[in-house]
Amino acid sequence: MATQKSGKSGLESVLAAGVAFTAGVLTALSAQRNKAARSRSAEALRTENLRAGLVDYQKLQLGLLERAIDDPELAVVLSTFEVESPTHLRQHLFANALYSNALFGYRIGVATMEELHGHLRVLCRSALFRRYWESTRPHRASLKDDSEEGRIGRMVDNLIRDLDEADTEEWWVVGEPPVE
């Protein structure tokens, strides 16, 4: 006796295969999306760890500078330039702390390049900061031109030049911030 197949079971087979295929595709897409999310999470974690490391490093650096500013016997360890007095050395160390703090704010993203430029423009108005900047020129000579600190160092050089050449009393508008 011959078995008669219903047209319904063929349609059901096609639908079942379609559902199974769709489920497989959705599962694969979900797995891909989860992998991408984990990758983004891992990258975000690496970025956050780097930022936390920078914060810890900056705290340590400023703590060391503070100790050197407070103790002339420690300050001479950091003295790699000619100074006339312990007071002059302390001023240099403080200028370094101010510059480092501004640079750090930019590096961790709490200040934009334009804000860093504005902050450094204020520092560059100080004769004592300019004296520090000039005495540390040999230290910056080894910086690579395309490095972040090299570019920012040139920005300070340009700010000092622009402030010297400005024919306006409105110092706060002098100089163009570099494009990020």
Side-chain angles (χ1 to χ4, degrees), residues 21-36:
F21 176 77
T22 302
V25 168
L26 291 176
T27 300
L29 287 174
S30 178
Q32 231 178 0
R33 185 178 47 181
N34 288 340
K35 182 179 177 184

Side-chain angles (χ1 to χ4, degrees), residues 13 19 23 29-30 36 38-39 49 53 58 61 63 65 70 80 89 93 101 103 122 148 162 169-170:
S13 295
V19 167
L29 287 174
S30 178
R38 281 191 306 275
S39 177
N49 285 339
Q58 185 69 13
Q61 182 69 17
L65 281 172
D70 291 343
T80 58
L89 178 56
L93 294 174
N101 190 56
L103 184 60
V122 171
E148 181 180 63
D162 291 348
E169 294 297 314
E170 297 175 343

Side-chain angles (χ1 to χ4, degrees), residues 39-50:
S39 177
R40 283 191 302 273
S41 294
E43 182 61 31
L45 183 60
R46 279 191 294 278
T47 300
E48 188 55 36
N49 285 339
L50 175 61

